[in-house]
Amino acid sequence: MNGDIEPMIVVTPTFNKCEAATFYKELRQSVIPFVEGKYSTYAKSTSEADLIASRMHRAYGGFSMGSLSTWCVGNHSLDMVGYLMPLSGDNWEGVGSLTKEIDRLGLQKDEYFIMCATGTKDVAYGNMNPQMEAMKNDSHFTYTSDFSKGNFYYLTAKDATHWWGFVRHYVYDCLPYFFHHE
């Protein structure tokens, strides 16, 4: 309403007959084609080529196990999604899976953006922190709060715990950074 974020369609799926770590398959085979076919979006059609071509107009994020599914989307389907928002959960496959996918796709640093968040008293904090430090030191990522100057940022909320109530604050803080790649 205030112009703080780009207009967007928000879809909130759940894991349907799969686990968080394999949801990327359902996302690319069912969820994305369904949404792109139902609504007016940047995809010209629901063909895989058109969905890949419109990836910079698509984001995926989740909290806790949804964060795991977000990392798995990055690890296995970054060709379909340009922005990731993992909240309060680390990449169980490790940063190497993500960088391998980036290299496999031949993506440049301005072709993928990751905005992470968790609380300092969140159970995920202890696992996320080392991963975030590793990403800060990896050449695939440029750490900055300004996505015109980099592609990765990590927010921490002082004393926040692993509770869905903090998610709305993380999303509120993260979404204004998305979809400004052009």
Side-chain angles (χ1 to χ4, degrees):
M1 187 170 89
N2 297 329
D4 296 334
I5 61 173
E6 297 297 314
M8 66 183 70
I9 298 166
V10 176
V11 179
T12 56
T14 190
F15 310 128
N16 186 22
K17 300 180 184 175
C18 68
E19 296 176 357
T22 59
F23 180 71
Y24 68 91
K25 295 175 186 177
E26 186 172 345
L27 180 74
R28 79 179 293 128
Q29 293 169 2
S30 300
V31 177
I32 291 173
F34 173 79
V35 172
E36 300 286 345
K38 184 164 179 69
Y39 299 100
S40 177
T41 68
Y42 287 91
K44 292 179 183 177
S45 76
T46 58
S47 74
E48 185 171 290
D50 285 343
L51 295 176
I52 289 169
S54 62
R55 66 180 284 282
M56 292 307 296
H57 297 280
R58 196 171 302 113
Y60 184 80
F63 170 69
S64 193
M65 289 305 284
S67 183
L68 169 62
S69 74
T70 302
W71 289 115
C72 290
V73 166
N75 296 342
H76 302 283
S77 292
L78 203 54
D79 61 333
M80 292 267 186
V81 177
Y83 294 82
L84 299 173
M85 186 180 11
L87 308 173
S88 297
D90 61 308
N91 187 341
W92 290 7
E93 294 178 39
V95 176
S97 292
L98 180 58
T99 58
K100 183 178 176 182
E101 178 74 347
I102 291 166
D103 291 342
R104 182 185 74 80
L105 296 170
L107 297 175
Q108 302 300 308
K109 285 185 184 182
D110 64 348
E111 294 177 311
Y112 55 94
F113 299 90
I114 304 170
M115 179 71 101
C116 308
T118 195
T120 59
K121 291 188 177 177
D122 191 307
V123 297
Y125 182 77
N127 290 330
M128 282 188 80
N129 251 11
Q131 179 185 326
M132 299 302 108
E133 291 305 314
M135 289 175 68
K136 287 177 185 178
N137 294 310
D138 188 297
S139 63
H140 292 84
F141 308 102
T142 301
Y143 187 76
T144 181
S145 63
D146 181 350
F147 276 176
S148 71
K149 297 177 182 170
N151 62 356
F152 163 60
Y153 195 59
Y154 174 47
L155 297 169
T156 55
K158 186 175 179 357
D159 297 329
T161 60
H162 198 77
W163 178 54
W164 69 268
F166 293 116
V167 172
R168 64 183 169 168
H169 299 288
Y170 301 152
V171 171
Y172 180 86
D173 289 338
C174 291
L175 280 182
Y177 291 90
F178 284 23
F179 307 117
H180 296 288
H181 61 277
E182 295 178 345

